[in-house]
């Protein structure tokens, strides 16, 4: 996860602003696999969303993710784009905000830690408000504090 954050910060035109703690959760989708580790990273960038998506997918491959693996199956790293300000977009490659984030505690808990006031442009609710809703599925337990701030550029 540290390598992923460092690699994201090394993408030209990207600056890491905040990094959440690491959270552990039950696996999603395919449940017969080890527990997940999750975190959120807030960045500033001038890249277009599809440019950023291509950059993070290249990072995943560099860090050992196998392309075309089992959906929701075990993987070394999974980097998702969740929110991009107030942008709402839908293309074959990317949907923003991420279509499932509003109901997944393992996404909302780390995101709320670093950007609880961020507003979901679809629902109009903040990330903190989304996390408190009863329809949020699963749990996320903080297992490791934030990565060192030297990763913030």
């Amino acid at each position: 996860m540290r390598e992923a954050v460092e690699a994201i910060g090394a993408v030209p035109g990207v600056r890491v602003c905040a990094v959440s703690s690491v959270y552990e959760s039950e696996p999603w989708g395919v449940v017969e696999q080890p527990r997940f580790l999750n975190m959120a990273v807030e960045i500033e960038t001038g890249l277009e969303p599809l440019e950023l998506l291509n950059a993070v997918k290249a990072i995943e491959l560099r860090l050992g993710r196998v392309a075309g693996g089992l959906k929701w199956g075990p993987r070394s790293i999974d980097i998702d784009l969740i929110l991009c300000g107030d942008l709402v977009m839908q293309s074959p490659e990317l949907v923003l905000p991420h279509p499932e984030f509003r109901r997944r505690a393992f996404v909302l808990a780390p995101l709320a830690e670093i950007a609880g006031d961020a507003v979901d442009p679809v629902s109009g609710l903040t990330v903190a408000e989304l996390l408190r809703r009863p329809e949020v599925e699963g749990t996320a337990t903080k297992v490791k504090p934030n990565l060192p701030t030297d990763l913030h550029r």
Side-chain angles (χ1 to χ4, degrees):
M1 293 175 91
R2 176 186 301 278
E3 288 178 58
V5 174
E6 290 172 348
I8 290 167
V11 172
V14 172
R15 184 176 76 82
V16 173
C17 302
V19 179
S20 77
S21 301
V22 175
Y23 290 74
E24 185 178 63
S25 65
E26 293 296 326
W28 181 267
V30 177
V31 296
E32 298 300 322
Q33 60 180 315
R35 294 173 65 85
F36 288 171
L37 295 177
N38 307 280
M39 65 185 304
V41 177
E42 180 182 10
I43 65 166
E44 287 182 358
T45 185
L47 298 178
E48 294 296 321
L50 290 176
E51 291 175 303
L52 182 59
L53 178 67
N54 289 334
V56 298
K57 293 305 167 193
I59 291 168
E60 287 180 343
L61 292 175
R62 202 166 56 241
L63 295 180
R65 178 152 183 183
V66 177
L70 176 67
K71 184 173 181 155
W72 297 319
R75 51 212 179 262
S76 59
I77 194 80
D78 181 29
I79 304 170
D80 290 322
L81 305 182
I82 306 300
L83 291 167
C84 188
D86 61 359
L87 178 66
V88 177
M89 83 175 270
Q90 189 160 358
S91 75
E93 302 85 12
L94 179 62
V95 176
L96 286 171
H98 189 288
E100 301 295 329
F101 93 100
R102 293 171 198 89
R103 61 189 187 109
R104 294 180 175 170
F106 67 84
V107 175
L108 291 168
L111 188 55
E113 180 183 327
I114 62 170
D117 292 337
V119 176
D120 169 21
V122 173
S123 70
L125 299 173
T126 67
V127 170
E129 290 169 331
L130 289 168
L131 180 59
R132 290 191 298 267
R133 294 181 329 153
E135 57 268 31
V136 171
E137 298 172 3
T139 61
T141 305
K142 190 184 299 189
V143 293
K144 185 173 180 177
N146 307 51
L147 294 174
T149 56
D150 64 337
L151 294 175
H152 302 227
R153 295 186 179 172

